[in-house]
Amino acid sequence: MNKPVIIGSGLAGLTAAWALSPADCVLVTPGTLTDNAASMWAQGGIAAALADDDTPELHAADTVRAGAFVGDTRTIRRITEAATDVVGLLAELGVPFDHTADGRLDLALEGGHSRSRVAHAGDSSGAAITRTMAAAVRGLPSVQALERHTARRLLTDSDGAICGVEVLDASGAVLVLETDAVVLATGGMGALWPCTTNPATALGQGVAMAARVGARTDDLHLVQFHPTALDVPAFPNPLLTEALRGAGAILTADGERFVHELQPRDVVAAAVWEQLRAGRQVRLDCREISSVVTRFAAVAELCGAHGFDLASDLLPVRPALHYAMGGVTVDAQARTSVPGLWAVGEVSRTGLHGANRLASNSLLEAVVTGRAAADSIRGADTRWTPRVLPVDPATVVPPSAGAAVDLGEVRTILGASCGVLRDGESLEGAVDRLAELRHDDAGYVAWLVARSALLHPHTVGAHRRIDEQLETAAAQEVPA
Ligand SMILES: Cc1cc2nc3c(=O)[nH]c(=O)nc-3n(C[C@H](O)[C@H](O)[C@H](O)COP(=O)(O)OP(=O)(O)OC[C@H]3O[C@@H](n4cnc5c(N)ncnc54)[C@H](O)[C@@H]3O)c2cc1C
């Protein structure tokens, strides 16, 4: 086997590179190791059943419930069982998790969790974890980091198995890395929407690359809107972590409380959206949280940059696209339906999140899938028989030439058709228009998302079809 190529250096890609060691690998990333990674932006932390009153079974049950009971129970059990070990590993590598006065890990409460179980490093947990993993990777002679390189195409042989990756260097020159093992770790796709908490580079390119070579994708319509992004004219929107609500922040609309703040995100996001649609002013009130500015220093700084004081102001909030539950379908070893292609972290669809991710489960998933891919690659036969279900051939659109797509148009279409609330008519229009943009990776991924949303007429978790609700309401009317 040639050196495996890992595409992306967020927590999932870094973990895969670290876990592969001492086996060699190439790590391709558009910036330096930690640039442009959502992993760096995570505020809340990483979930694990570490408290005395907690168990992996309770963590799993909360994950199932938050995911609207459509998650993959075997995956959920496997990943929640691994969680305490993952936090132990990160602590061993040097992540400075917060501790209580008596020396125990300080565990925060977040929405949808029945126990306090989020290990954190202040409110910059993602940066602390990702920097620690990046430092560990930098010290490894086995990792050849190709910084300032961007992958643009996967190459397959006549059997449909991976045989290389086409990469652009900083000058725009194309190089081909020959390999029969590629790990996609390209993160999410939030920047395809007009309001997002994701890095502006999170355009779902990994999904496009994989789907173009025939990889199965699932649940692309299942995207999570975070209910409390700061509502300011910025792209992306600054995030006000859920841990604020866990610490006692409340949501008000025109001064009245309207929702239980610690319900799962899909419920709170839909409630906030309804209030905004009704023309009310939705605010996050953190004034009752003691020492809020020291406990949430990074959030306080973000607020300050937009002219708000976290300790005394009522903060305008709105839902913003935060996380993709769907993605490239993988098995327990992070293998996709294309021989030689693994997918890890947010670009993958493991089934952990069901129809709505439980807060702080994705850093966990990034580490677990990164390690699973490394274990699988070591000594693996890259010409496996896919274990995931067959691919719908209609979703496989090979690359073709075409004019550059206006990202603004893609965002407007997805914002209007695949927002917090969806309906069949706008989805049909979106699918038709986006089909014309599929030569471009952003247009292609947006089309896959809208198509998936159109093909799922029933409301589940974060996928809320208002046309179904209207039909149901009409069907329930009692005739006179
Ligand atoms: C503001 C914010 C707060 C969050 N808070 C939490 C939290 O508290 N807890 C939690 O569990 N989750 C949280 N999440 C979600 C979590 O951060 C992500 O799901 C997770 O970090 C994804 O990790 P990843 O490695 O898969 O992707 P990323 O960290 O996004 O890394 C993707 C990498 O791929 C690279 N890349 C992309 N395209 C290409 C290409 N074509 N070629 C080469 N490289 C490419 C990127 O540059 C980057 O290096 C949060 C997300 C956001 C945005």
Side-chain angles (χ1 to χ4, degrees), residues 72-383:
D72 180 301
T73 44
R74 270 185 306 182
T75 303
I76 292 170
R77 212 174 308 126
R78 181 169 50 81
I79 294 183
T80 51
E81 268 169 15
T84 51
D85 176 49
V86 165
V87 173
L89 164 77
L90 294 172
E92 233 169 74
L93 285 174
V95 175
F97 286 116
D98 287 358
H99 286 76
T100 58
D102 60 358
R104 299 154 79 96
L105 269 180
D106 184 32
L107 300 170
L109 180 65
E110 293 191 356
H113 290 274
S114 60
R115 298 287 187 277
S116 295
R117 68 165 69 97
V118 180
H120 59 99
D123 63 344
S124 303
S125 308
I129 293 170
T130 312
R131 283 199 186 109
T132 302
M133 192 57 88
V137 166
R138 275 199 190 96
L140 293 173
S142 59
V143 181
Q144 180 193 350
L146 279 188
E147 295 183 327
R148 296 185 185 79
H149 284 69
T150 305
R152 68 165 192 185
R153 294 276 171 265
L154 299 175
L155 305 173
T156 48
D157 62 19
S158 53
D159 296 330
I162 291 294
C163 63
V165 189
E166 222 175 74
V167 169
L168 292 177
D169 72 10
S171 72
V174 180
L175 42 147
V176 171
L177 307 176
E178 284 180 20
T179 180
D180 52 5
V182 168
V183 182
L184 270 184
T186 48
M189 56 184 179
L192 292 174
W193 274 258
C195 288
T196 183
T197 62
N198 286 192
T201 48
L203 295 167
Q205 203 178 4
V207 169
M209 287 191 279
R212 288 204 196 279
V213 295
R216 185 183 166 100
T217 58
D218 276 293
D219 295 345
L220 288 175
H221 60 294
L222 296 177
V223 289
Q224 178 170 76
F225 291 85
H226 198 290
T228 57
L230 190 62
D231 191 4
V232 287
F235 188 87
N237 289 75
L239 178 74
L240 303 178
T241 174
E242 182 144 346
L244 286 164
R245 280 173 279 136
I250 59 165
L251 280 163
T252 59
D254 287 354
E256 299 288 327
R257 225 168 149 180
F258 60 93
V259 67
H260 186 314
E261 289 83 0
L262 290 179
Q263 292 182 87
R265 282 188 185 157
D266 57 333
V267 178
V268 183
V272 170
W273 189 245
E274 289 294 357
Q275 296 298 326
L276 291 172
R277 281 211 313 166
R280 301 194 185 99
Q281 316 253 323
V282 180
R283 300 284 183 261
L284 186 69
D285 181 350
C286 305
R287 292 176 301 178
E288 293 296 313
I289 304 176
S290 62
S291 318
V292 67
V293 172
T294 37
R295 282 168 73 189
F296 296 95
V299 177
E301 201 179 317
L302 276 176
C303 289
H306 292 277
F308 294 102
D309 182 340
L310 179 64
S312 59
D313 285 335
L314 296 175
L315 307 167
V317 290
R318 57 156 300 143
L321 200 290
H322 187 59
Y323 185 81
M325 274 78 75
V328 183
T329 311
V330 294
D331 64 12
Q333 293 165 271
R335 301 184 309 183
T336 72
S337 64
V338 171
L341 182 64
W342 286 258
V344 296
E346 190 169 342
V347 69
S348 70
R349 185 273 186 198
T350 61
L352 172 68
H353 310 296
N356 174 54
R357 174 176 72 102
L358 181 66
S360 291
N361 263 355
S362 44
L363 292 176
L364 171 62
E365 182 186 50
V367 176
V368 172
T369 53
R371 288 170 95 184
D375 288 346
S376 168
I377 289 171
R378 222 177 283 113
D381 174 7
T382 56
R383 297 301 183 258

